[in-house]
Amino acid sequence: MIIWMRATILLILLALLTFALVPVQLLALKFDWKLRRRLPRLWHRFALYTLGIRVLRHGALESRSPLMIAANHASWKDILILGSIADVAFIAKQEVAAWPVFGVLARLQKTIFVVREEKRRSGDQVNEIAARMADGEIVVLFPEGTTSDGNRILGLKSTLFGAAAAALPGEGDGVVLVQPVAIAYTRVQGLPLGRYHRPVAGWPGDVGLLPHLKGVISAGAMDVDVTFGHAVEFRKGDNRKVLAANVERQLRDMLSAHLRGRHQP
């Protein structure tokens, strides 16, 4: 009962914060103020606090640019987690733009929507990603192409790294940095996340948002370990499959270490 009372109060406060920030964010988007990148981080942090999710960071975000983050993907909560750590822009499939609540929030954060099936539009989409990275924005890619159960890394789709190739300068020995970031849901109420609570980590496609949100709130305090891997330098002429294999290996190692309690600080 106490958990639900606290959650209700915080959700109301989150709604009030959202209504207060939306007009400011719309203005920031219209005039392309840098504030449009910073406000979402504030919102994501409060949303995590509302849900009782604590983020534990290991390693550091790459300071050089242009930078692309390649992260594993288990749930909508991954968006809040990565959005609370840095001012980032997400790459999402076009369908997300039409989703209730999430679609609106994604558009407010100026998410880059892609239509993978329409090759005639892929050039414009890749160019937008390249332009945003060239402007100093950190772009987040979920290269698995779908959500997992949070216990494993699905095979990465090397074609999705085409945006990294497009962000390379046309001349000179330019480089794009791709940094693997592993998200591991590890503890609930301070105890290792067992089989009973594992479903609150991932978000299966056959489970509705409200039932899943109810499960997250009922679980109480949750710890998430976010580990930053070694950034991979990608240059003109480099093979995307080699890049994908390097990123996948790091993600598997980092996720496995946390889920098995073998991570070395």
Side-chain angles (χ1 to χ4, degrees):
M1 179 64 73
I2 295 177
I3 292 177
W4 278 101
M5 288 179 62
R6 175 184 179 277
T8 300
I9 293 172
L10 290 175
L11 284 171
I12 291 173
L13 291 176
L14 179 61
L16 293 174
L17 177 64
T18 303
F19 286 126
L21 292 181
V22 164
V24 181
Q25 181 68 358
L26 288 173
L27 283 173
L29 287 170
K30 181 178 180 179
F31 297 103
D32 198 26
W33 297 336
K34 289 186 177 180
L35 185 65
R36 70 170 175 79
R37 305 179 189 177
R38 300 169 185 164
L39 286 182
R41 188 176 352 176
L42 171 65
W43 189 90
H44 286 137
R45 286 181 175 178
F46 193 81
L48 288 176
Y49 178 71
T50 299
L51 296 173
I53 297 175
R54 183 175 64 162
V55 178
L56 304 173
R57 299 174 59 170
H58 308 274
L61 182 68
E62 174 63 53
S63 59
R64 295 173 293 168
S65 64
L67 175 64
M68 171 180 285
I69 287 176
N72 60 304
H73 195 22
S75 167
W76 51 270
K77 298 185 294 295
D78 303 337
I79 306 293
L80 304 180
I81 291 163
L82 293 175
S84 72
I85 290 174
D87 301 336
V88 297
F90 293 94
I91 301 174
K93 57 186 180 181
Q94 183 63 43
E95 294 91 321
V96 174
W99 287 3
V101 183
F102 285 122
V104 175
L105 294 175
R107 291 195 297 274
L108 285 171
Q109 195 165 345
K110 206 173 181 181
T111 293
I112 304 167
F113 298 108
V114 297
V115 183
R116 296 171 188 164
E117 294 78 13
E118 296 185 22
K119 292 184 179 180
R120 60 186 176 83
R121 293 182 55 188
S122 61
D124 293 337
Q125 295 163 357
V126 168
N127 289 337
E128 180 184 358
I129 295 170
R132 299 275 288 273
M133 291 178 67
D135 193 37
E137 291 194 58
I138 301 171
V139 172
V140 175
L141 173 70
F142 295 114
E144 292 165 296
T146 185
T147 54
S148 71
D149 57 9
N151 296 320
R152 55 188 174 139
I153 301 295
L154 304 179
L156 305 193
K157 301 182 184 301
S158 61
T159 55
L160 297 181
F161 287 102
L168 288 168
E171 300 178 356
D173 186 27
V175 60
V176 169
L177 297 144
V178 180
Q179 184 172 27
V181 177
I183 304 172
Y185 296 85
T186 52
R187 288 170 291 280
V188 170
Q189 299 288 356
L191 300 175
L193 194 67
R195 181 174 298 180
Y196 176 79
H197 287 110
R198 178 53 60 184
V200 304
W203 184 29
D206 57 349
V207 177
L209 173 60
L210 290 180
H212 180 69
L213 181 59
K214 181 179 179 181
V216 172
I217 295 175
S218 298
M222 182 185 300
D223 285 351
V224 181
D225 289 275
V226 178
T227 309
F228 296 88
H230 300 291
V232 182
E233 295 186 350
F234 186 75
R235 291 183 167 83
K236 189 176 298 183
D238 287 352
N239 191 306
R240 285 184 293 182
K241 290 185 178 181
V242 174
L243 169 64
N246 189 328
V247 171
E248 183 174 338
R249 175 185 55 77
Q250 290 196 55
L251 288 177
R252 288 186 189 279
D253 290 346
M254 292 186 294
L255 180 65
S256 177
H258 280 293
L259 294 184
R260 297 181 182 181
R262 297 177 181 175
H263 174 74
Q264 297 296 325

